[in-house]
């Protein structure tokens, strides 16, 4: 049987400085078992969409480390871009890929959110399938 795989597609509030983006993607790539698939910076939005995949535990660890690094290297008091944003790590969706349900993935997302809040002191709002309140289910 194949192991479970999940994908993470965080959006970071930096799309113009390749050195800052690389610091964030370096911590993702440093986690064994994680495969960085894509890095898509946008100058106008000043936002980078990153895509990586792997077994749940390594992906969760990479997501945590990337969130921590983004908070260290992105100054939101000076951020400007065309896209609305919540923080240095703007969204951090987890997507089931193989041998894991959306419900299980949503539970992993809630656990990751708790860890980010507890260890980094960053406010986390779960949405869509991971929402803890009905009004957060759809952010559109």
């Amino acid at each position: 049987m194949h192991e479970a795989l999940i994908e993470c597609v965080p959006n970071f509030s930096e799309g113009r400085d390749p050195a800052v983006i690389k610091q964030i993607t370096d911590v993702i790539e440093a986690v064994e078992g994680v495969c960085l698939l894509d890095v898509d910076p946008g100058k106008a939005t000043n936002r980078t969409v990153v895509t990586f995949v792997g077994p749940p535990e390594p992906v969760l660890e990479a997501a945590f480390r990337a969130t921590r690094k983004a908070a260290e290297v992105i100054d939101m008091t000076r951020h400007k871009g065309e896209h609305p944003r919540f923080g240095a790590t703007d969204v951090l969706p987890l997507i089931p890929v193989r041998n894991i349900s959306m419900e299980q993935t949503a539970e992993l997302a809630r656990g990751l959110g708790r860890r980010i809040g507890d260890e980094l002191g960053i406010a986390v709002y779960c949405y869509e399938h991971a929402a803890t309140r009905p009004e957060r289910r759809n952010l559109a």
Side-chain angles (χ1 to χ4, degrees):
M1 182 167 170
H2 296 288
E3 67 182 321
L5 290 178
I6 61 173
E7 181 181 60
C8 186
V9 189
N11 290 213
F12 299 104
S13 294
E14 176 55 66
R16 300 174 184 156
D17 187 339
V20 170
I21 296 165
K22 184 163 178 11
Q23 288 182 68
I24 297 166
T25 58
D26 281 352
V27 300
I28 294 168
E29 289 186 293
V31 177
E32 188 174 333
V34 170
C35 180
L36 181 65
L37 299 175
D38 191 47
V39 179
D40 185 17
K43 290 189 177 178
T45 57
N46 199 12
R47 178 185 190 103
T48 297
V49 180
V50 175
T51 305
F52 57 96
V53 67
E57 289 308 314
V59 167
L60 295 173
E61 184 60 30
F64 177 82
R65 291 181 190 184
T67 300
R68 179 176 58 205
K69 180 55 76 174
E72 292 171 6
V73 298
I74 297 172
D75 182 357
M76 291 305 294
T77 65
R78 301 174 59 166
H79 188 278
K80 294 200 180 355
E82 293 178 7
H83 196 288
R85 61 216 159 265
F86 286 108
T89 301
D90 199 44
V91 295
L92 192 62
L94 299 176
I95 301 139
V97 174
R98 181 178 71 200
N99 292 332
I100 189 166
S101 69
M102 179 56 82
E103 187 175 291
Q104 291 169 307
T105 305
E107 186 56 39
L108 292 172
R110 287 187 288 271
L112 176 59
R114 279 189 296 276
R115 182 178 179 203
I116 289 168
D118 291 347
E119 294 183 32
L120 303 179
I122 295 173
V124 174
Y125 300 93
C126 293
Y127 65 101
E128 294 293 337
H129 293 282
T132 56
R133 295 169 34 187
E135 63 271 18
R136 291 195 180 140
R137 182 103 173 136
N138 184 346
L139 291 185

